[in-house]
Amino acid sequence: MDVDLIFKIAAIGIIVAVLNQVLIRSGREEQAMMTSLAGLIVVLLIVVTQISQLFETIKALFKFY
């Protein structure tokens, strides 16, 4: 597993957390929720892409047998 993937997900989490706190303190709870939701969707897309690559690798591995 690539360490860059973990750092990328952690960076997205930190950025979303900071933006969420700033937006909540400024009284914009709706935008804070949308920011959190957008961050979650981005991370899920990254994870789904990695899972897809895993399945392709497994399929290529067992193709020869």
Side-chain angles (χ1 to χ4, degrees), residues 1-7 9 46-47 50-51 53-54:
M1 188 159 130
D2 200 15
V3 179
D4 278 347
L5 177 65
I6 296 171
F7 286 145
I9 292 174
I46 292 171
V47 170
Q50 292 297 317
I51 290 173
Q53 288 179 358
L54 173 67

Side-chain angles (χ1 to χ4, degrees), residues 18-35:
V18 169
L19 284 174
N20 194 5
Q21 289 299 316
V22 168
L23 288 169
I24 286 176
R25 292 192 190 270
S26 67
R28 298 180 177 184
E29 287 82 13
E30 293 86 12
Q31 285 90 357
M33 184 188 303
M34 290 298 165
T35 303

Side-chain angles (χ1 to χ4, degrees), residues 9-19:
I9 292 174
I12 292 171
I14 291 169
I15 291 169
V16 167
V18 169
L19 284 174

Side-chain angles (χ1 to χ4, degrees), residues 27-61:
R28 298 180 177 184
E29 287 82 13
E30 293 86 12
Q31 285 90 357
M33 184 188 303
M34 290 298 165
T35 303
S36 298
L37 186 61
L40 178 66
I41 290 171
V42 169
V43 169
L44 284 176
L45 286 174
I46 292 171
V47 170
V48 165
T49 304
Q50 292 297 317
I51 290 173
S52 173
Q53 288 179 358
L54 173 67
F55 284 144
E56 291 296 323
T57 304
I58 291 172
K59 187 176 13 173
L61 179 67

